[in-house]
């Protein structure tokens, strides 16, 4: 990947983030503190896609920076990756909330919010053109693979995603953190199996880059 390509991708993502930050298509767009567009390496080979920002992400404007994010960092580190190696975002960019007597609670994004936000996600995928996508949790998986996707039975296998990009689905780190007793380690073991498949596929030799990306025609 040339420096010019990297700079151009970063510019396209920054421009798309600016447009996304003005979006008010959904009610949650008017309630959120920050539009959490996504962040990471614009040339990442792995794109990690979660569900939607939570309270901490909404406050800081960055994806996966709360407790689930801490576990995601450990999951990535387990396969030799840091946040600088990957690109991280969500299927919706505003925090989906539920008003309760105890205050605002996180909730899963609804189908309209997911559809409204899809163009922003599609743009990110089109700019990144990652080698692989890791979808975290059922809402993210279903948004790519259809509503019938049953995470417990169907995670841990490769599927064909947008632009033919292979997608691996694993449990969302927040789901892992909600497990109790012996279930935690059982679920972590499944996640580990899924992550090992991602590592193995990243280690396969990369296909030849198109000649335009080979750097011969720069300058
Ligand atoms: N959960 C998500 O799905 N995304 C975040 O950014 C944080 C928590």
């Amino acid at each position: 990947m040339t420096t010019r390509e990297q700079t151009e991708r970063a510019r396209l993502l920054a421009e798309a983030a600016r447009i996304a930050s003005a979006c008010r298509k959904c009610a949650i767009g008017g309630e959120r503190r920050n539009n959490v567009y996504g962040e990471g390496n614009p040339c990442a080979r792995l794109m990690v896609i979660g569900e939607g920002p939570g309270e901490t992400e909404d406050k800081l404007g960055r994806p996966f920076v709360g407790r689930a994010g801490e576990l995601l960092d450990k999951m990535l580190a387990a396969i030799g990756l840091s946040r600088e190696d990957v690109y991280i975002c969500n299927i919706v960019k505003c925090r989906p909330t539920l008003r309760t007597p105890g205050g605002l609670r996180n909730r899963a994004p609804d189908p309209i919010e997911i559809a409204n936000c899809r163009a922003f996600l599609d743009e990110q995928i089109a700019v990144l053109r990652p080698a692989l996508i890791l979808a975290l949790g059922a809402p993210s998986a279903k948004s790519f693979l259809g509503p019938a996707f049953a995470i417990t039975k169907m995670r841990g296998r490769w599927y064909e995603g947008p632009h033919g990009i292979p997608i691996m689905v694993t449990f969302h780190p927040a789901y892992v953190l909600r497990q109790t007793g012996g279930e935690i380690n059982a679920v972590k073991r499944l996640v580990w199996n899924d992550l090992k498949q991602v590592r193995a596929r990243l280690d396969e030799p990369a296909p030849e880059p198109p000649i335009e990306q080979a750097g011969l025609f720069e300058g």
Side-chain angles (χ1 to χ4, degrees):
M1 184 78 50
T2 64
T3 315
R4 185 186 287 182
E5 176 70 13
Q6 197 158 344
T7 309
E8 177 59 7
R9 288 185 186 198
R11 189 189 67 74
L12 291 170
L13 290 169
E15 173 62 10
R18 194 186 58 74
I19 294 167
S21 71
C23 179
R24 296 288 185 275
K25 262 193 200 166
C26 311
I28 54 173
E31 290 162 1
R32 52 134 177 101
R33 276 178 281 191
N34 280 295
N35 180 284
V36 183
Y37 181 72
E39 66 180 30
N41 187 336
C43 299
R45 295 182 63 222
L46 178 65
M47 194 165 172
V48 179
I49 307 180
E51 178 176 318
E55 186 178 7
T56 315
E57 289 77 21
D58 179 52
K59 198 193 265 174
L60 300 178
R62 298 180 54 208
F64 282 97
V65 284
R67 278 190 71 220
E70 280 172 26
L71 180 53
L72 176 60
D73 288 349
K74 287 185 192 163
M75 286 162 55
L76 292 172
I79 52 168
L81 297 173
S82 71
R83 288 176 86 102
E84 288 71 44
D85 296 318
V86 301
Y87 187 86
I88 304 178
C89 64
N90 287 298
I91 54 170
V92 300
K93 315 302 184 198
C94 297
R95 179 191 178 201
T97 50
L98 196 63
R99 248 171 234 292
T100 73
L104 281 187
R105 299 267 309 273
N106 295 338
R107 63 164 168 80
D110 70 31
I112 294 175
E113 290 158 350
I114 295 171
N116 283 345
C117 229
R118 186 63 197 220
F120 297 126
L121 179 59
D122 283 342
E123 172 79 3
Q124 287 169 306
I125 296 170
V127 172
L128 266 280
R129 280 174 276 125
L132 306 175
I133 290 174
L134 176 64
L136 301 175
S140 176
K142 287 181 187 200
S143 81
F144 294 111
L145 303 170
F149 190 88
I151 190 160
T152 312
K153 282 197 235 143
M154 296 166 75
R155 47 141 280 286
R157 271 178 261 158
W158 291 104
Y159 295 92
E160 189 175 318
H163 309 279
I165 299 166
I167 294 197
M168 171 62 62
V169 177
T170 196
F171 290 119
H172 194 288
Y175 172 80
V176 179
L177 292 170
R178 283 198 300 274
Q179 304 308 303
T180 51
E183 277 305 297
I184 299 184
N185 282 340
V187 171
K188 280 189 177 170
R189 213 160 279 130
L190 296 174
V191 170
W192 173 230
N193 285 336
D194 304 341
L195 293 173
K196 279 191 293 187
Q197 293 193 65
V198 172
R199 181 71 260 174
R201 196 127 181 193
L202 286 173
D203 289 341
E204 285 174 7
E208 288 282 308
I211 193 158
E212 302 78 37
Q213 283 178 28
L216 285 176
F217 303 106
E218 282 208 29

